[in-house]
Amino acid sequence: MTWLKTTAAALAMLPFSAFAQTAEDEIVVTASGFTQPRSETGQAIDIVDRDRLDQLQSASIAEALQTVPGVRIATRGGLGSQSSAFIRGGSSAQTLVLIDGVRINDLSSPNGAFDFGALMTGNIGRVEILRGPNSVIWGSQAIGGVVNVQSIAPVTGLEGRMGAEYGAYDTKRLNANLAGSSGALEGSVGGSFVNSDGISALAGGTERDGYDNLTGNARLKIKISDSLSFDFRSYYNRATVAYDTAFGLGANGLPVSRNRQFVGYVGANIDLLDGRLQNRIAYTRTDIKRISTDPVVFSFNNFNVRGAIDRAELHMAFDLNDALTFVAGAEYERSFASTSFEGAAPDIARNDVASGFAQMILRPLSGLTLTAGVRHDIYDDYGGQTTFGGNAAFTPNNGRTMFRATYGEGFRAPTLTEGQPPYGNLNLKPETARNFDLGVEHQLLGNKAQIFATYFNRRSNDLIAFSSVTGQSENIDKVTSKGLEAGVNLTPIDNFNIQASYTRVDAINRSTGGNFGKRQTLRPQHSASLTADWQTPFGLSVGSSIYWIGDSFDDVANTVRLNSYALFGLRASMPLTDALELYSRIDNLLGADYTVVAGYNSFGRNATMGVRAKF
């Protein structure tokens, strides 16, 4: 624990004589599945809202997540390339991703991980990131954490947003969204388009791997009465990405993947007993399809895969009184995957799972909230799984200081590829994890400053990996992941904000064999981010970002080292009218030569200019 003491001492020496931004008690949904104040959960949750996305000028959600402590992004190439999120040292398959509350992890991929490459920020209103397991509420895959991406929500009256930008590599972006409410109706509808010539995905290539992305989003809520409303949500993404792979012509290969993602939600909200009993009944649909073509025959790049999830759920939250809330739910899910390589007949797999959970939220005294829950899932291909979790949040001084503690269990069920023929192992067990957090947040100097620190420790067992001995997936891996997330928000003067965070993650292989004690691939031990933004008295806003990523390894034996690197960027925006704003940014200003994934390219210095309007 020497490193923990050293880091804590270093934090204590930070220059807190400056002022900082006060963190508001925001509303979150990932802790219980229903809205609740962030101060009432012991879980570590961060929020990146629309204003922050505009301030950072983030082009993709993956870029915005770089500012969140404990989150590491690995992209294999340029814009639109496969992008994986590792939360607190967990694998990308252990991160559950939701879009407007609907699961969108890719069942057609071998490990079910979500690819962040196609997720642009154009019409996204908010991203909620829960770090640590929460399978009690969300079930499978919520081991490392949960990322809930929400489209722009309806507003009172009418609001329109539009944007256009042009940048390096002939990159063009357009987006528009209209949101509003009238009487019993409230809704939001929008679309975005991205086109880029891109860069060669693999290092050493001379041809560019281009990218196209078309996205649409829509939400509609119909209020029948004070106690009954109907909710409709949809998200559609169609992307075409050229990529490189060692299976074919390498860095100058010509494979192209055409990807389609669809999410649909139809639900009814029924509030009874003067709103103390909230009921939500919903049907959701996730449909993902990927078609890849390559002029090189039998390169394993010619494939047609599809994954779909149909899900029915009934969730309930009952405020028995001011001190006690019960949350419960029942879910039924049917999943399907089809995989075909090089024109062969498709391999088809299916699975059904029935689930139930219950959670109690107790407020025994002012400032203290205790939460405990249990979940049970029954899969028709491998049986049942029971999960427990609990957390505590306590403030002795009306929110100026928050103490948080969490014990959480998570699991990941074998995917259809891992657990069913012809490639799968019918005897697989789910991956499981046990995690505890201890955290503190403190506001000082007239509630204008905030510091925070969280220690986490997770043990994962029965991790699924391919065995060269048996030729199929086996429960052969064990991993421990522990570390510290810490940071500070400062506001030295009005309209000048600094946000800094540091993360240490020790993600260590504890499996028997020659790789015992080795670090997990693509998990840097150290990482940090620093953003500073100032709005000048004459309207111009300027900002900068620094991201520092420590060294890591890209193989299980820790022989392929990726050196540490730092990226520095500048940005500026200037309002022309109350409704119109010009902005620009320069990324990797110092032209750092860095590698995120071994063998893959990364962006050099590049600039972007744009305009956005709001009415």
Side-chain angles (χ1 to χ4, degrees):
M1 299 293 287
T2 302
W3 64 267
L4 181 58
K5 295 177 181 177
T6 302
T7 306
L11 284 172
M13 297 173 65
L14 286 173
F16 294 138
S17 59
F19 291 90
Q21 181 70 33
T22 301
E24 297 180 359
D25 190 7
E26 298 184 272
I27 300 299
V28 298
V29 297
T30 50
S32 66
F34 286 88
T35 58
Q36 67 178 124
R38 183 174 172 271
S39 62
E40 290 190 358
T41 177
Q43 295 175 310
I45 300 176
D46 277 273
I47 297 168
V48 181
D49 60 17
R50 183 68 246 178
D51 290 340
R52 181 61 169 164
L53 291 174
D54 286 342
Q55 184 182 61
L56 293 172
Q57 298 184 26
S58 300
S60 68
I61 295 299
E63 290 181 18
L65 291 179
Q66 292 184 107
T67 65
V68 178
V71 180
R72 156 78 167 135
I73 301 295
T75 300
R76 289 164 170 80
L79 185 66
S81 298
Q82 182 186 5
S83 297
S84 304
F86 308 115
I87 299 181
R88 289 182 170 178
S91 74
S92 57
Q94 295 174 334
T95 299
L96 177 64
V97 181
L98 312 167
I99 291 186
D100 284 333
V102 182
R103 304 171 71 100
I104 197 171
N105 286 63
D106 188 358
L107 285 181
S108 68
S109 69
N111 64 0
F114 176 73
D115 180 5
F116 279 86
L119 193 54
M120 303 293 115
T121 60
N123 292 321
I124 300 303
R126 167 187 168 109
V127 184
E128 193 172 314
I129 306 101
L130 183 149
R131 306 189 304 281
N134 193 12
S135 285
V136 168
I137 299 298
W138 301 107
S140 179
Q141 292 191 286
I143 291 182
V146 180
V147 179
N148 185 15
V149 181
Q150 302 172 37
S151 59
I152 294 177
V155 297
T156 302
L158 184 65
E159 177 186 88
R161 293 173 177 264
M162 293 174 287
E165 68 175 49
Y166 180 80
Y169 315 107
D170 198 25
T171 301
K172 301 169 283 289
R173 301 175 187 273
L174 298 169
N175 67 274
N177 196 90
L178 189 65
S181 62
S182 178
L185 301 179
E186 60 180 52
S188 176
V189 61
S192 65
F193 172 74
V194 178
N195 173 267
S196 177
D197 287 350
I199 59 176
S200 176
L202 281 176
T206 58
E207 56 82 37
R208 292 187 173 186
D209 294 306
Y211 181 63
D212 288 294
N213 183 307
L214 180 65
T215 300
N217 58 278
R219 299 172 62 168
L220 175 65
K221 191 171 186 178
I222 305 173
K223 187 176 181 180
I224 306 300
S225 66
D226 290 340
S227 60
L228 175 63
S229 64
F230 293 99
D231 203 356
F232 306 90
R233 310 170 200 164
S234 66
Y235 169 89
Y236 177 80
N237 175 272
R238 187 184 70 197
T240 300
V241 55
Y243 65 100
D244 295 327
T245 172
F247 300 103
L249 297 180
N252 288 318
L254 300 174
V256 175
S257 182
R258 295 171 175 83
N259 309 324
R260 186 197 69 188
Q261 299 173 329
F262 170 79
V263 162
Y265 176 102
V266 178
N269 306 296
I270 306 170
D271 296 341
L272 304 174
L273 303 177
D274 296 325
R276 291 190 298 116
L277 176 58
Q278 301 176 60
N279 298 277
R280 184 173 68 241
I281 305 170
Y283 163 75
T284 71
R285 169 79 174 181
T286 302
D287 198 325
I288 297 176
K289 187 174 184 179
R290 291 183 289 129
I291 300 175
S292 177
T293 57
D294 189 344
V296 179
V297 182
F298 300 114
S299 63
F300 297 99
N301 298 324
N302 292 291
F303 59 81
N304 188 329
V305 297
R306 183 185 174 197
I309 305 173
D310 291 285
R311 185 180 182 91
E313 55 188 35
L314 169 62
H315 291 180
M316 177 270 290
F318 179 39
D319 293 323
L320 185 64
N321 50 46
D322 291 341
L324 184 60
T325 298
F326 289 103
V327 177
E331 303 166 350
Y332 179 79
E333 179 180 296
R334 171 165 291 181
S335 56
F336 162 89
S338 171
T339 305
S340 174
F341 283 95
E342 299 293 344
D347 298 309
I348 296 176
R350 294 181 173 87
N351 185 41
D352 293 356
V353 56
S355 310
F357 67 89
Q359 188 179 70
M360 180 183 69
I361 303 173
L362 178 65
R363 310 169 192 86
L365 53 89
S366 178
L368 176 63
T369 304
L370 305 174
T371 302
V374 60
R375 180 188 185 95
H376 188 69
D377 297 84
I378 303 175
Y379 287 78
D380 64 3
D381 58 354
Y382 73 82
Q385 177 69 33
T386 301
T387 308
F388 296 93
N391 62 80
F394 175 62
T395 173
N397 51 14
N398 296 318
R400 292 193 303 277
T401 306
M402 287 293 308
F403 297 98
R404 304 183 192 274
T406 300
Y407 170 78
E409 296 181 354
F411 77 97
R412 183 178 80 87
T415 66
L416 297 177
T417 300
E418 294 168 336
Q420 294 192 17
Y423 310 107
N425 179 357
L426 291 172
N427 296 316
L428 282 180
K429 298 181 292 184
E431 299 179 354
T432 60
R434 295 181 178 181
N435 175 90
F436 72 85
D437 292 1
L438 293 173
V440 61
E441 301 172 12
H442 182 60
Q443 299 180 24
L444 64 163
L445 300 176
N447 289 340
K448 292 184 178 181
Q450 183 191 36
I451 57 176
F452 66 88
T454 302
Y455 170 77
F456 61 89
N457 189 310
R458 182 176 69 242
R459 290 184 174 270
S460 301
N461 295 307
D462 294 321
L463 268 64
I464 299 170
F466 182 79
S467 170
S468 58
V469 176
T470 64
Q472 59 184 3
S473 296
E474 302 284 354
N475 294 108
I476 56 178
D477 282 349
K478 296 182 179 181
V479 171
T480 60
S481 182
K482 62 182 179 180
L484 177 75
E485 301 159 343
V488 56
N489 295 339
L490 302 173
T491 305
I493 58 176
D494 289 344
N495 300 318
F496 182 37
N497 176 244
I498 301 172
Q499 298 187 22
S501 68
Y502 163 78
T503 301
R504 170 157 180 160
V505 177
D506 290 311
I508 305 299
N509 189 334
R510 296 299 180 187
S511 309
T512 57
N515 295 320
F516 180 86
K518 303 293 186 180
R519 285 161 57 182
Q520 290 291 92
T521 59
L522 301 178
R523 276 44 152 224
Q525 192 175 35
H526 306 278
S527 61
S529 73
L530 171 66
T531 65
D533 292 274
W534 178 44
Q535 184 177 17
T536 67
F538 51 88
L540 175 68
S541 295
V542 293
S544 65
S545 299
I546 301 175
Y547 304 111
W548 177 75
I549 307 298
D551 61 3
S552 61
F553 296 96
D554 201 4
D555 67 325
V556 294
N558 288 185
T559 60
V560 180
R561 177 183 288 272
L562 304 177
N563 293 328
S564 62
Y565 61 90
L567 300 178
F568 178 60
L570 290 176
R571 55 184 175 270
S573 62
M574 182 68 186
L576 302 181
T577 68
D578 291 341
L580 191 64
E581 181 180 35
L582 289 176
Y583 65 91
S584 65
R585 65 179 180 274
I586 302 176
D587 296 319
N588 193 7
L589 178 65
L590 302 181
D593 184 9
Y594 64 102
T595 300
V596 178
V597 180
Y600 285 87
N601 253 335
S602 51
F603 286 118
R605 183 187 299 110
N606 63 94
T608 299
M609 295 189 65
V611 59
R612 53 194 174 210
K614 180 180 177 181
F615 63 86

